Amino acid sequence: MASEQVADNRTTVTLDRGCIVRGPRDKKVIALEFTGGSFADGGTTILETLKNQGIKASFFFIGDFYRDPKFRLLIERIRDEGHYLGPHSDKHPLYASWDNPPKLEITQQDFNADLDANMRELEKFGLSQQQARFFIPPYEHYTEEISDWTTMKGLSLINLTRGTRSHADYMQDDDPNYVTSEEMVQSILDFESKDPDGMNGFLLLMHIGAGPGRTKDHLYNHLDNLVTKLKQRGYSFSRVDELLAPGK
């Protein structure tokens, strides 16, 4: 995998194969990202936490999530409470292999069809492409071609910032790589303490639900405490569009 292209200017974004993987590092601002495909068991807890903390976050769902009737009220609440809603592919296909570096696994024609279908579902919630122009690829996995094709569609490819274990919150109880919520939270706080830029411009990714296969603990139940600790360290929180394209 190609190394991240970290700009010398801390006011610019960090790119990896054309994908934005971190926002400007000159301010203590974090963007919380939540992706969703089949489950949303953490939805109400997450939204209540964000409301109580007075902060906004960003949610990226696949087309099947947007079209599922049981998630409609949750999606409408996310929209109406001022959070960002964006695309995460329509059917969650694997765009690139797990090789290092990854190999492209989809044609441009299939990519366009998949993303277009996802965007059509967003439009049903009253969101235009201009309002949902940041796109997280399925599995958070991509190649430079995916970045280029996203740009051709008038969107910007973004991902999570690497360095913490927050994105392991989907793992099921029997997963050999299972990570506890306490370990995930500690990995975030450790990163903040050790990185020269702390978590400035960090894109912190979690999932809106893990489903019935994860019963022991859930990161979303620790979100309130995590946000409080990061606020105590001087951080504020914003939507991805505010962090990555302020004033637009």
Side-chain angles (χ1 to χ4, degrees):
M1 182 179 296
S3 60
E4 292 180 358
Q5 304 159 27
V6 182
D8 293 333
N9 186 346
R10 297 174 69 250
T11 64
T12 62
V13 300
T14 301
L15 298 175
D16 172 55
R17 287 164 286 156
C19 175
I20 299 173
V21 295
R22 189 167 183 169
R25 292 167 286 122
D26 60 328
K27 296 180 181 178
K28 295 174 74 69
V29 182
I30 297 169
L32 297 176
E33 301 173 331
F34 297 92
T35 59
S38 302
F39 307 110
D41 41 281
T44 299
T45 298
I46 290 167
L47 287 177
E48 286 300 312
T49 296
L50 299 175
K51 182 178 180 180
N52 292 338
Q53 289 283 356
I55 62 176
K56 303 301 181 186
S58 303
F59 295 81
F60 299 82
F61 301 138
I62 68 171
D64 284 345
F65 190 102
Y66 282 114
R67 64 175 63 94
D68 193 323
K70 68 175 176 288
F71 298 140
R72 172 165 289 277
L73 290 178
L74 176 66
I75 296 168
E76 290 175 344
R77 180 180 174 186
I78 291 171
R79 178 199 63 195
D80 295 345
E81 292 187 358
H83 304 290
Y84 177 90
L85 277 169
H88 189 44
S89 83
D90 191 58
K91 296 292 185 180
H92 209 258
L94 186 63
Y95 286 174
S97 71
W98 299 107
D99 300 313
N100 188 7
K103 297 181 178 65
L104 189 65
E105 294 282 351
I106 191 171
T107 67
Q108 185 174 5
Q109 181 178 5
D110 288 341
F111 168 83
N112 288 341
D114 182 67
L115 184 53
D116 287 345
N118 195 182
M119 296 304 295
R120 285 195 294 271
E121 296 304 319
L122 268 164
E123 291 172 358
K124 294 177 183 178
F125 288 90
L127 296 167
S128 67
Q129 178 168 311
Q130 182 63 19
Q131 293 171 299
R133 64 189 184 278
F134 292 99
F135 167 47
I136 293 182
Y139 299 98
E140 295 74 63
H141 213 54
Y142 56 92
T143 64
E144 190 168 356
E145 291 92 340
I146 300 300
S147 298
D148 292 341
W149 296 346
T150 301
T151 301
M152 292 177 189
K153 298 292 290 182
L155 303 177
S156 296
L157 193 70
I158 69 172
N159 205 19
L160 74 159
T161 304
R162 301 288 178 181
T164 79
R165 309 192 75 182
S166 66
H167 54 289
D169 59 344
Y170 72 93
M171 290 183 175
Q172 308 296 284
D173 293 349
D174 58 355
D175 194 312
N177 298 313
Y178 184 89
V179 181
T180 68
S181 295
E182 290 80 4
E183 290 171 330
M184 287 183 251
V185 169
Q186 192 58 52
S187 75
I188 296 166
L189 298 177
D190 287 346
F191 182 97
E192 194 283 327
S193 297
K194 296 175 182 178
D195 189 271
D197 290 310
M199 293 190 72
N200 296 10
F202 206 93
L203 303 175
L204 184 61
L205 186 141
M206 308 175 192
H207 295 84
I208 197 169
R214 186 178 179 103
T215 61
K216 296 178 182 178
D217 68 343
H218 293 282
L219 182 58
Y220 51 74
N221 289 328
H222 298 256
L223 182 61
D224 186 67
N225 183 51
L226 173 61
V227 170
T228 296
K229 288 184 176 180
L230 290 171
K231 280 184 173 181
Q232 290 171 347
R233 297 188 183 193
Y235 292 92
S236 61
F237 296 81
S238 76
R239 294 167 30 141
V240 294
D241 52 342
E242 296 167 345
L243 176 65
L244 301 178
K248 296 184 180 179

